[in-house]
Every structure is written in C-alpha cells, then in structure tokens.
Amino acid sequence: MDSTYQEKIGLLQEMIAFSLVDGELHDREFDFIMVIASELEVDKETVFKLFDKKQEKVVIKDEFNRVCQFYRLALLMHCDGVLHEREQIKINEIGINMGLNPYAMKRVLHLMKESPTRMVDGETLLSVFSEQHN
C-alpha cells in the first residue's frame, strides 16, 4: 500500500475516533465520514473495517492539509447538531498535536459556531491560520 493511501486511511481513522468521543456515532456523523471517504477514494468496505481497527497515529506533513483535517473534524463535531464538551476538548488537543496555532483554532471554531450553516468558507479558513504567521 502506498503512503498516500495510508495517509487517507489515517485521516479517516482519526475522524472515526473523533466521532466516537461523545460515546456514540450519530447517523449524520457516519454519513459525513462516508462522504469524506468517497472524496478520498476509499471504498465503503474499507471504511467499515476501520471502525474495528485501533487508530494509528497520522503525521500530516504540510500545514494546508493539517488545516483541512482540523476543519473536517470541526465539521464532524457540528454535524450531529450537539456540541459535547468532550468533543471541544478533543478537537483542541488534536489541533495542538498537529502543530496548529491555538488562537487560530479557537477563532475558526468561534466563526463556525456563529455561522448559521456551521461552515466557514475556504478563503476565511486559510486567512485565519495564515494571520498567525505574521
């Protein structure tokens, strides 16, 4: 298996583990994971197997992809319509472990909370993280 495929599997495993932080997998969370799997070109059978596997540590090398994964997790956190304290703690922990700026993460999460769709456009997302470099 090539490393790019392994990275995709790792991203999905991280999303699956995150979706279970609150103790249950909601239908909307499952659907969202399946949409991401489809975009990553990972088949359904493989995704189902990932629910039984222990999560492997994913190292995302470039910042753009770390920001994208953080945003995927944030969308996953919001998709069931309930923000659990354990999810908020875990997403901050994951973001810090990815090396993302805590202030940028907090700002993005706040923007998402304030948005009626719980989404932030890509340009705003990247600008929030790039502001922290100046």
Side-chain angles (χ1 to χ4, degrees), residues 15 28-36 72 75-76 79:
M15 292 180 73
R28 294 172 102 189
E29 291 172 326
F30 177 78
D31 292 344
F32 184 73
I33 290 169
M34 295 308 290
V35 167
I36 298 299
R72 283 185 204 112
L75 288 170
L76 184 60
C79 75

Side-chain angles (χ1 to χ4, degrees), residues 6 9-11 13-14 50 53-59:
Q6 280 303 113
I9 295 298
L11 295 174
Q13 284 180 306
E14 185 174 46
L50 295 178
K53 285 179 106 178
K54 187 175 190 289
Q55 180 187 356
E56 298 170 18
K57 185 70 177 158
V58 180
V59 178

Side-chain angles (χ1 to χ4, degrees), residues 36-95:
I36 298 299
S38 176
E39 288 180 9
L40 295 175
E41 298 177 345
V42 175
D43 62 272
K44 288 180 183 181
E45 184 178 318
T46 302
V47 176
F48 291 137
K49 290 178 184 175
L50 295 178
F51 280 93
D52 297 329
K53 285 179 106 178
K54 187 175 190 289
Q55 180 187 356
E56 298 170 18
K57 185 70 177 158
V58 180
V59 178
I60 305 172
K61 293 177 176 62
D62 64 281
E63 185 175 28
F64 175 78
N65 286 320
R66 290 192 307 263
V67 169
C68 288
Q69 180 65 358
F70 175 80
Y71 185 60
R72 283 185 204 112
L73 293 172
L75 288 170
L76 184 60
M77 180 172 78
H78 286 281
C79 75
D80 65 358
V82 180
L83 281 178
H84 295 275
E85 183 180 350
R86 292 173 67 185
E87 290 174 325
Q88 292 175 338
I89 292 167
K90 187 66 174 176
I91 198 166
N92 284 308
E93 179 184 308
I94 291 169

